[in-house]
Amino acid sequence: MYSVTPANEKRTFFQWINFLIPYLYTIGILAILLWMAVAAIALAIVTFRDDPASLLMLTTTGTSSSDLIAGTSWLDVLIKPILASDFNQIVFKGLFMLLVWMLLFLVVPLAFRRLTRFKFFNLEIEVDAAAQTVIETIEVSAPKAKLMAYLSSSEATDRTIALLDAESAQFADVLAYFLEEIQAGYKKSPLNTNFSFTVYTHNPPAELNELIAASREANASIISNKADPDNVMKKSYFVYAYQNAEREFITVISSYTSLFDLFDQYLFETLHHTVTRNQEYYELLIAVATMDANA
């Protein structure tokens, strides 16, 4: 097996935060609801012990109907009993905490990234998701197109010939060299992504058998992206079972932090075909040189 992973993929602190935010958000809501339930039960126990008859009404001790009627306005008559109720205070406090908690996670940029529209009273926030998607697609596509153009250039051909000539490299060695270059290019802005790669000649991981079989059947690469892009515990995969000189090379490219798209697929497939073409060109040069030497 030939295996090269020169730079293990790193998941950044902010990616971990982005992954954990939904769980923190849910835990916070459950904690507030649990506090409301516990407080209400504790109040019911205390009320039942002190004044069982008032359990269902949960009125505050010392408050009577005559006190309410003697209020200076109808607001005192209607609002004061509501505010004076210990149970209502628990509900109001719980609802207030829920409101603050939800607003907090709408304001935090990491959680706000997926928000397209939010309205609260007279405050309305809206994000043009379609326009943002177009901009991001253009920004991401351009560097990948440049890398693809580089692989088809005479510079890449000359580098392949130099590797094969000076270092007696094989197909997998040249493939790994250019994968390292692509890996370095992906780390730069605006891509800012990481991936790991391995080239297998035998005994690939068993969990990839289905993807490898699908690649063999289609005679093309296969992409398998994780369902949740923010889940940094799972990987997205590019798998390519590639035939070169009657030998199979299985290229596995994986990423915890990004998804693969058609641009990635075309780029990595182009890499395999370009290395094969340049290798054949090198072998032709060697054959011609040998014929000239024997002539």
Side-chain angles (χ1 to χ4, degrees):
M1 180 187 70
Y2 185 91
S3 174
V4 176
T5 52
N8 292 327
E9 183 184 8
K10 296 180 180 180
R11 289 159 281 185
T12 66
F13 172 76
F14 290 104
Q15 286 169 332
W16 279 111
I17 292 296
N18 195 41
F19 170 66
L20 293 175
I21 273 182
Y23 299 98
L24 296 175
Y25 180 68
T26 303
I27 291 173
I29 291 177
L30 293 177
I32 294 172
L33 294 176
L34 179 62
W35 173 84
M36 293 174 65
V38 172
I41 293 173
L43 177 62
I45 294 174
V46 172
T47 303
F48 180 77
R49 183 185 61 191
D50 296 340
D51 187 7
S54 63
L55 176 61
L56 296 179
M57 299 302 295
L58 294 177
T59 56
T60 304
T61 305
T63 302
S64 63
S65 299
S66 60
D67 294 332
L68 297 175
I69 296 174
T72 58
S73 68
W74 64 272
L75 289 175
D76 293 323
V77 177
L78 295 178
I79 303 301
K80 188 176 180 179
I82 297 176
L83 298 179
S85 171
D86 293 333
F87 177 77
N88 289 340
Q89 290 182 20
I90 293 173
V91 173
F92 293 147
K93 289 179 181 179
L95 292 177
F96 176 75
M97 287 189 291
L98 284 173
L99 178 61
V100 171
W101 189 250
M102 289 187 289
L103 287 176
L104 174 64
F105 277 82
L106 289 174
V107 173
V108 173
L110 289 173
F112 182 74
R113 183 169 59 88
R114 291 183 176 180
L115 183 66
T116 58
R117 185 173 183 179
F118 172 70
K119 186 174 184 180
F120 180 71
F121 295 109
N122 292 328
L123 174 64
E124 184 171 354
I125 303 172
E126 185 171 358
V127 177
D128 190 348
Q132 184 65 24
T133 300
V134 172
I135 294 173
E136 291 178 355
T137 301
I138 295 174
E139 290 179 347
V140 168
S141 303
K144 296 178 182 179
K146 290 181 180 179
L147 286 170
M148 194 176 300
Y150 162 70
L151 293 177
S152 303
S153 66
S154 58
E155 181 183 354
T157 301
D158 294 340
R159 186 56 186 162
T160 301
I161 293 175
L163 288 171
L164 294 172
D165 190 39
E167 302 179 16
S168 300
Q170 302 300 317
F171 173 83
D173 300 301
V174 179
L175 188 64
Y177 173 84
F178 285 106
L179 281 172
E180 289 181 31
E181 288 201 334
I182 295 174
Q183 190 180 54
Y186 270 45
K187 290 181 180 180
K188 299 177 181 178
S189 178
L191 296 180
N192 298 319
T193 59
N194 295 287
F195 65 78
S196 300
F197 67 85
T198 308
V199 180
Y200 297 92
T201 56
H202 62 279
N203 297 329
E207 63 267 21
L208 298 177
N209 285 343
E210 291 186 7
L211 294 177
I212 295 173
S215 177
R216 288 170 178 163
E217 182 178 355
N219 194 28
S221 62
I222 299 295
I223 288 177
S224 177
N225 286 323
K226 53 188 177 182
D228 182 5
D230 296 327
N231 189 343
V232 294
M233 303 302 295
K234 294 185 178 295
K235 290 183 178 182
S236 296
Y237 287 99
F238 166 94
V239 177
Y240 196 11
Y242 184 75
Q243 291 289 334
N244 175 268
E246 299 182 354
R247 186 178 183 184
E248 183 180 63
F249 296 88
I250 299 174
T251 302
V252 178
I253 302 174
S254 61
S255 177
Y256 284 106
T257 56
S258 61
L259 303 179
F260 296 112
D261 56 25
L262 287 176
F263 290 99
D264 300 310
Q265 190 171 22
Y266 293 150
L267 174 61
F268 293 132
E269 284 191 357
T270 298
L271 169 62
H272 285 72
H273 296 309
T274 300
V275 172
T276 297
R277 183 196 64 196
N278 291 337
Q279 184 181 31
E280 292 173 349
Y281 177 64
Y282 172 78
E283 292 172 353
L284 177 61
L285 292 177
I286 295 298
V288 171
T290 302
M291 291 176 60
D292 292 341
N294 295 332

